[in-house]
Amino acid sequence: MLLLIPGPVTTRPEVRQAMTQDHAPWDNAFRPLYASVRERVLAIAGGVPGTHASLALQGCGHFATEAAVRTFVPPGGRILIPATGSYADRMARLAREAGRVVVPLTVAQTEPVSPAVVAAALAADPTISHVGLVYSETSSGVIHDAIAIGEAVRAAGRRLILDAVSAFGALPLDISAQPEMDVAVFTTNKCLEGLPGLSFAVARVDSLTGAVGNAGSWSFDLADIYAHALRSGWGSFRFTPPAQVLAAFQTALDFFDVEGGQAARLARYTANARTLYDGMLSLGLEPCLARDVQGPIVMNVHAPSDPAWSLQAFVDALKEAGFVISNFYNTEYPSFRVGCIGAVTPGDMQRFISAVDQVLVRLGIKNRSASRQAA
Ligand SMILES: *Cc1c(COP(=O)(O)O)cnc(C)c1O
């Protein structure tokens, strides 16, 4: 069974195999594992030891995003969040429920956020301290230009929090070249192709030391995770970690290196997405985004406008053929969403395209033209 969803992704059998051993996380044999994974993650982010710190937090991506907002935006502080899609909405909700003030910025969800629009919003409101940007908006499939938005943030003297959850490991990130970035957050189970259960933040040390006491939560305090590392060593967790997930992550990072790192991973995902885009067109289906804004991570495709269309029936039939895709709409009109990330290749995408063709025939769907009625 292949998971063609934007996380958790299809993993290699060797990665799953690495979970089969028990570990005592405080044991001296386990500590080097965590410490070395932190170093490797820091390097992938372009971080410099001493200037940046790699911090792991038990749990999923939302947990790391909440921790980032709580740690760096002071209580009652104001964060501008371009409304790029449902992941931006999620960051906004996490911030609001943490007592931060969200300044919404309405933007088109089908194209990258304009740096000029962000610059204008910051100029109009000097009380905004932070911008929260979703690098790869997983609801739409659009990639937002973290470098260009970062430049606008830096020019305005503000700070950037980057949700890189569905981007990190595939899209380029060099936190050293972006001093306005307090933190980038991501997880083990998307483009790094590990198992779910652990999230990461790569953060600036000067920002962390300036953020002591902000979080209002012991669990979600990145400054406390940093202080703990200084106190107890880089191989030590504050609370029980998913030790097996960490062991599997180490194996996933080995495969990441063997493949050729971020550039090679981006090349494979780009080939996956291109194969899928061309394949959908060849079947008479229509991807939701224009080719020039379609990112390499996830793709929405218009549902066929045939009365026999049912997303759940389509998803169930694909599952029988060995492919799992999302079973909910991420667009205002009916569509289906396919992930291009994980341990999958263009050959897998070709097999998926054939399966879609057969399933549409089997479900009696004759009209494949794009449905644009509200879902
Ligand atoms: C997957 C994802 C998250 C976090 O999702 P979790 O289910 O909490 O791991 C956050 N942001 C983006 C852009 C994502 O794709």
Side-chain angles (χ1 to χ4, degrees):
M1 188 71 72
L2 285 188
L3 298 182
L4 294 185
I5 54 176
V9 299
T10 302
T11 55
R12 289 173 170 271
E14 296 91 336
V15 170
R16 298 191 297 275
Q17 193 61 36
M19 295 190 80
T20 57
Q21 202 194 314
D22 293 324
H23 301 274
W26 39 261
D27 189 80
N28 286 340
F30 181 80
R31 288 170 168 251
L33 168 62
Y34 178 32
S36 75
V37 162
R38 290 176 97 159
E39 282 174 19
R40 294 171 79 174
V41 157
L42 189 70
I44 297 167
V48 174
T51 304
H52 302 96
S54 149
L55 310 163
L57 182 66
Q58 296 86 339
C60 63
H62 283 79
F63 289 24
T65 302
E66 172 164 355
V69 168
R70 283 183 171 273
T71 302
F72 296 109
V73 183
R78 293 161 68 81
I79 178 170
L80 180 79
I81 301 182
T84 52
S86 70
Y87 285 91
D89 294 346
R90 284 154 183 257
M91 185 194 283
R93 175 170 173 178
L94 292 169
R96 243 183 262 113
E97 295 198 7
R100 277 60 174 175
V101 178
V102 173
V103 181
L105 179 65
T106 303
V107 295
Q109 302 198 351
T110 50
E111 58 187 54
V113 175
S114 152
V117 168
V118 172
L122 293 176
D125 186 344
T127 67
I128 294 169
S129 65
H130 283 76
V131 172
L133 180 71
V134 179
Y135 190 175
S136 162
E137 178 48 81
T138 317
S139 58
S140 68
V142 175
I143 307 304
H144 297 283
D145 189 340
I147 294 175
I149 301 293
E151 278 168 7
V153 173
R154 185 156 77 242
R158 317 298 169 85
R159 312 293 309 159
L160 182 64
I161 291 175
L162 189 68
D163 171 349
V165 179
S166 69
F168 191 76
L171 298 174
L173 177 68
D174 182 2
I175 196 167
S176 296
Q178 295 199 252
E180 75 284 357
M181 200 184 294
D182 279 342
V183 64
V185 298
F186 50 93
T187 66
T188 47
N189 70 107
K190 294 205 180 181
C191 302
L192 293 171
E193 301 184 3
L195 278 304
L198 195 61
S199 58
F200 278 88
V202 170
R204 284 189 69 88
V205 166
D206 55 7
S207 302
L208 285 164
T209 53
V212 172
N214 275 354
S217 159
W218 186 18
S219 297
F220 291 105
D221 187 355
L222 297 178
D224 190 64
I225 298 176
Y226 176 65
H228 179 85
L230 296 184
R231 240 181 358 254
S232 306
W234 294 89
S236 172
F237 278 91
R238 300 178 305 164
F239 315 126
T240 302
Q244 289 84 350
V245 171
L246 192 72
F249 188 46
Q250 172 173 252
T251 301
L253 290 175
D254 292 343
F255 280 104
F256 178 80
D257 290 344
V258 167
E259 184 172 6
Q262 173 263 319
R265 193 140 293 185
L266 177 59
R268 176 161 55 87
Y269 293 171
T270 301
N272 288 348
R274 192 178 304 132
T275 303
L276 182 64
Y277 202 101
D278 291 341
M280 291 298 105
L281 290 177
S282 75
L283 297 185
L285 295 166
E286 200 185 312
C288 295
L289 291 177
R291 203 186 275 273
D292 61 333
V293 288
Q294 172 62 61
I297 307 298
V298 61
M299 191 179 300
N300 292 307
V301 179
H302 283 285
S305 52
D306 190 289
W309 169 257
S310 145
L311 178 62
Q312 191 62 53
F314 181 65
V315 168
D316 290 345
L318 281 172
K319 198 154 97 186
E320 278 174 40
F323 300 96
V324 176
I325 66 165
S326 304
N327 69 347
F328 46 90
Y329 293 139
N330 289 275
T331 50
E332 288 154 22
Y333 36 78
S335 62
F336 60 92
R337 181 174 76 160
V338 186
C340 305
I341 62 176
V344 295
T345 62
D348 294 319
M349 288 299 180
Q350 289 291 5
R351 290 194 300 112
F352 173 73
I353 293 156
S354 306
V356 169
D357 194 25
Q358 286 159 19
V359 161
L360 290 177
V361 171
R362 179 142 75 81
L363 295 177
I365 291 166
K366 296 192 180 65
N367 180 2
R368 295 184 178 186
S369 65
S371 168
R372 288 195 160 79
Q373 278 170 13

